[in-house]
Amino acid sequence: MKILIDVESAACAPTKDTIVKTSCWNDVIEIDDGSVVVFNTFHHTAVLLSSEEYNEILDGEHKWKLYSLGILVDENIDERQIWNDIYLKAKYDMSYIDITVVLTEKCQFGCIYCYEGLEKSSRVIRDKTIEGIKEFVISHTKELKRLRLTWFGGEPLLAYNKICQISRIIIPYCKTHSIEFRSDITTNGYALTQERIREMVYDLHVTNYIITIDGPENTHNHRRPLRSGNGTFRKIWHNIKLLVEQNVFVLVRITIDSRNVNDAPRLIDLIKEEGLAGRVELAFCRTIDFAHTPIETMPYIYSEEEFSDIEWHLMEYAHSQGVYRYHFPYAAPRGGCLRDGDVVIGTGGEIYKCLDTVGQKRWISGNISLKDNTEKIEWLSKWRSWTPDNMKDCRECVLQPLCNGGCPHNALFEDKKHGTLLQCPDWKANYKRQIRALVNEYEQTI
């Protein structure tokens, strides 16, 4: 047996009378040589077992180590009920609040596939909305332990003064009340400067950056130009280098369709050539059909099934260049996006439960500026009462402790333009391939 992921005290110590069974949350992944990876999605532990060890899993020499990892459990416990109780409690647990703030609907880019529409509003977050966010945080001080703010747009850096204004209200408050604070931003990266980066990292505590680069210079500039038509690649690339010098997390996202798929490997090469391998993370994302995706983009969009193979080949190539690391899937916060503490705030204080619905009036669930900020809406009642147990496929799926049932909007409503009808998380398509590749890599180094 080889332990691939270990945690301390995943399960209680056995007694002399303990009789074990295999956990219902074990995902068993077959490897080409006949061995298996047993990945426990509840405890996030994993082991590599030979076929003989797996056949003797309940009585072999590793029995009690597997028990400590949660891969074997006491036969008398009801794991599904335990998970369901945790999930339901987490939905209403306000000890962790995750707020995505739409700072402005303005953007200086004219991306050819923009799902927010090419004609942008010029609205910027109101002071009344900022006051509402502050009061929302204060109202949960008693139970609040962790707060995460994600800056979004439009292009959030076009409202940089609002990032400063909100941060300088929230950060001292969190420090005074011993609330752990973190801040992320999804940005096109164009309006970053060395001075801003230093202020954002050290004063405003913005430590995670998601920036899209759609290929090498010519490809990117065609797909993501300024509204004037001028290119943006060189300035963004320079700013990414400034960010990694500050040792912050930078995710470079490549939006893929059939117009740029063949150019993506060249961007991977460039990341390696310019010394950014291991200093930035990489994500391959499918261009998708949202409500405002331009009609001329539609013929170039891959289906989920088509994209899974494309994504895997890009992962393989990026890994071969040292630019991508295979990994086990990460767990979403328990309760998922159904959590009361997971909200998206529009510029006018509108409360949404999903970032992909911003701007669509039907999906407004209240206003952060109002004291009674949750309206009595039929769809919201369905949303709040939904659990993965409502669906047979979810109920029997071992991935449930990781994905929390995936996208409840897609599970409940057919008319939300989400770019996909799939409820499952996008990482599901290739996670087993990654785990098999990790095992092959592991075996080659021992």
Short mmCIF file of all heavy atoms in Angstrom, two decimals, residues 8 30 64 69 106 214 276 342 424:
data_model
loop_
_atom_site.label_atom_id
_atom_site.label_comp_id
_atom_site.label_asym_id
_atom_site.label_seq_id
_atom_site.Cartn_x
_atom_site.Cartn_y
_atom_site.Cartn_z
N GLU A 8 -4.43 13.96 9.26
CA GLU A 8 -4.36 13.52 10.64
C GLU A 8 -5.76 13.27 11.19
O GLU A 8 -6.66 14.07 11.01
CB GLU A 8 -3.65 14.57 11.50
CG GLU A 8 -2.17 14.74 11.15
CD GLU A 8 -1.50 15.74 12.08
OE1 GLU A 8 -2.15 16.13 13.07
OE2 GLU A 8 -0.35 16.10 11.81
N GLU A 30 -9.43 2.32 -11.24
CA GLU A 30 -8.55 1.25 -11.70
C GLU A 30 -7.37 1.82 -12.47
O GLU A 30 -7.51 2.74 -13.27
CB GLU A 30 -9.33 0.28 -12.58
CG GLU A 30 -10.44 -0.44 -11.85
CD GLU A 30 -11.20 -1.41 -12.74
OE1 GLU A 30 -10.89 -1.48 -13.94
OE2 GLU A 30 -12.12 -2.09 -12.22
N TRP A 64 -6.20 -1.31 9.76
CA TRP A 64 -6.40 -0.22 10.71
C TRP A 64 -5.84 1.11 10.22
O TRP A 64 -6.34 2.18 10.60
CB TRP A 64 -5.83 -0.60 12.08
CG TRP A 64 -6.57 -1.79 12.64
CD1 TRP A 64 -6.04 -3.00 12.95
CD2 TRP A 64 -7.97 -1.87 12.89
NE1 TRP A 64 -7.03 -3.84 13.38
CE2 TRP A 64 -8.23 -3.18 13.37
CE3 TRP A 64 -9.05 -0.99 12.77
CZ2 TRP A 64 -9.50 -3.62 13.72
CZ3 TRP A 64 -10.32 -1.42 13.12
CH2 TRP A 64 -10.54 -2.72 13.58
N LEU A 69 -7.74 6.40 7.94
CA LEU A 69 -7.89 7.31 6.80
C LEU A 69 -9.35 7.50 6.40
O LEU A 69 -9.66 8.30 5.51
CB LEU A 69 -7.11 6.78 5.60
CG LEU A 69 -5.59 6.72 5.75
CD1 LEU A 69 -4.96 5.95 4.59
CD2 LEU A 69 -5.00 8.11 5.84
N LYS A 106 -18.58 48.40 -16.23
CA LYS A 106 -17.73 48.94 -17.30
C LYS A 106 -16.58 47.98 -17.62
O LYS A 106 -16.09 47.27 -16.74
CB LYS A 106 -17.14 50.29 -16.89
CG LYS A 106 -18.16 51.39 -16.72
CD LYS A 106 -17.49 52.74 -16.55
CE LYS A 106 -16.76 52.86 -15.24
NZ LYS A 106 -16.20 54.22 -15.01
N ASP A 214 -5.50 34.41 -23.89
CA ASP A 214 -6.12 33.44 -24.80
C ASP A 214 -5.19 32.86 -25.86
O ASP A 214 -5.66 32.27 -26.84
CB ASP A 214 -7.32 34.09 -25.50
CG ASP A 214 -8.59 33.89 -24.69
OD1 ASP A 214 -8.53 33.26 -23.62
OD2 ASP A 214 -9.65 34.39 -25.11
N LEU A 276 7.98 31.29 -16.01
CA LEU A 276 6.77 31.36 -15.20
C LEU A 276 6.24 29.98 -14.81
O LEU A 276 5.27 29.89 -14.06
CB LEU A 276 5.68 32.14 -15.94
CG LEU A 276 5.97 33.63 -16.17
CD1 LEU A 276 4.85 34.27 -16.97
CD2 LEU A 276 6.14 34.36 -14.84
N ASP A 342 -22.95 32.61 0.93
CA ASP A 342 -22.36 32.68 -0.41
C ASP A 342 -23.27 33.55 -1.27
O ASP A 342 -24.34 33.10 -1.69
CB ASP A 342 -22.21 31.28 -0.99
CG ASP A 342 -21.39 31.26 -2.27
OD1 ASP A 342 -21.46 32.23 -3.04
OD2 ASP A 342 -20.67 30.28 -2.49
N CYS A 424 -23.17 18.73 -13.10
CA CYS A 424 -21.90 18.29 -12.50
C CYS A 424 -20.81 19.34 -12.70
O CYS A 424 -20.83 20.10 -13.68
CB CYS A 424 -21.45 16.97 -13.11
SG CYS A 424 -22.57 15.60 -12.74
#
